[in-house]
Structures are given as C-alpha cells and as structure tokens.
Amino acid sequence: MNDLTMADLIHDFLFDSARRTPAAEALVHGAQRLDYAALAGAVMQAAGALVDAGVQPRARALPCSPKKRVENVAAMFGAAAAGAVFVPVNPQLKPEQVAHILADCNVRVLLTSPERLAQLGAALDACPDLRSVFVTGGADINGARAGKRPSAR
C-alpha cells in the first residue's frame, strides 16, 4: 500500500528521504555530489531566504540559470518549501521567451545566476509583476543575494 496522502508536497519527499537515509546520495552534477542531508539543508536555507525576503505563499518563483546546476534544484524545492510555486523553464530559452513566461505567469521572484541575469537584461522590463531577484553567488543557493526590483512606475 502506498503511504502517499493528498497533503504530501514535492519537498516533503526530499525531507522524508533526508530523515530516512541522510547519507544516501541524492544529487550528482559533474564532480559535485550531495547526500540527502546536505540537499535538505540547502533547500531549507533557500526557503528561509525566500521567506525572509517577504515571498508570500502561492507567489510564483522562477529558477533560471543558463545551464543545469545544483542551486536550481535547491531553488525549486526551496520555493515549494516556502509555500511559493516554482515555474520551471528551459535554460536554453531566449531572454524574450523567458520574459514572456515571467509576465504570463505573474512571476514575482526570479532566482538566477549573474551570467543569466546579464543575458536577460532589458527583457525583464516587460515583467511588471517581478518584485525580487535572487542572484546566486556561487555553486549553491546559499550564496544567493536578494535584490528588490526597482519600480518602473
């Protein structure tokens, strides 16, 4: 019989695995390896940063880096753990395509790398609901810096 309930959320599965098998390998990206305990810690830190920045429940958050990275996983699960909704996008999309998704989904929070933020540049001006941008400072979300988007109004 399955232990799933209607109340289980995506981040709950990660935290359950971290409790049951904390030292088991959870994520591999190149030479970088995280066990469930480390990944759960990164997710909790990301969730805490989002909550501390005022991200409200059900706000849409979009993790967007130029390539697959460990911090994207922490950002997606962290957004869910903070009560937000993460909007996944293909990292290969052009800036105008990302901006269209941001605007269409009323995304309030962008989680990205410095290089992807530079690529997105002026395209973000077409995103009136975007309020906060988190820029990662390294290989993990723990180095993220949050900034409020200046009002265009």
Side-chain angles (χ1 to χ4, degrees):
M1 180 134 198
N2 197 333
D3 291 340
L4 297 179
T5 68
M6 292 304 287
D8 286 330
L9 300 174
I10 192 163
H11 58 279
D12 293 328
F13 297 106
L14 174 89
F15 296 140
D16 288 345
S17 293
R19 279 189 290 278
R20 282 192 323 271
T21 55
E25 194 168 73
L27 186 63
V28 176
H29 182 259
Q32 195 172 12
R33 296 178 182 284
L34 290 176
D35 61 27
Y36 278 103
L39 182 56
V43 167
M44 288 304 296
Q45 198 158 18
L50 291 168
V51 169
D52 289 349
V55 172
Q56 298 295 310
R58 294 182 299 282
R60 289 169 186 88
L62 190 140
C64 183
S65 288
K67 55 187 173 183
K68 295 177 184 175
R69 294 181 172 184
V70 169
E71 72 252 23
N72 284 5
V73 176
M76 286 188 284
F77 280 100
V85 178
F86 68 87
V87 179
V89 295
N90 182 330
Q92 301 303 314
L93 291 178
K94 295 177 180 160
E96 295 76 20
Q97 294 170 308
V98 173
H100 175 80
I101 293 169
L102 283 163
D104 189 56
C105 293
N106 305 105
V107 170
R108 298 252 180 208
V109 180
L110 174 64
L111 305 114
T112 192
S113 64
E115 55 274 3
R116 186 59 167 159
L117 183 59
Q119 291 171 353
L120 294 172
L124 295 180
D125 291 339
C127 307
D129 295 318
L130 184 61
R131 297 290 180 258
S132 297
V133 177
F134 284 75
V135 181
T136 60
D140 63 65
I141 194 74
N142 302 335
R145 296 183 312 275
K148 297 288 182 189
R149 183 169 184 249
S151 177
R153 294 167 216 192

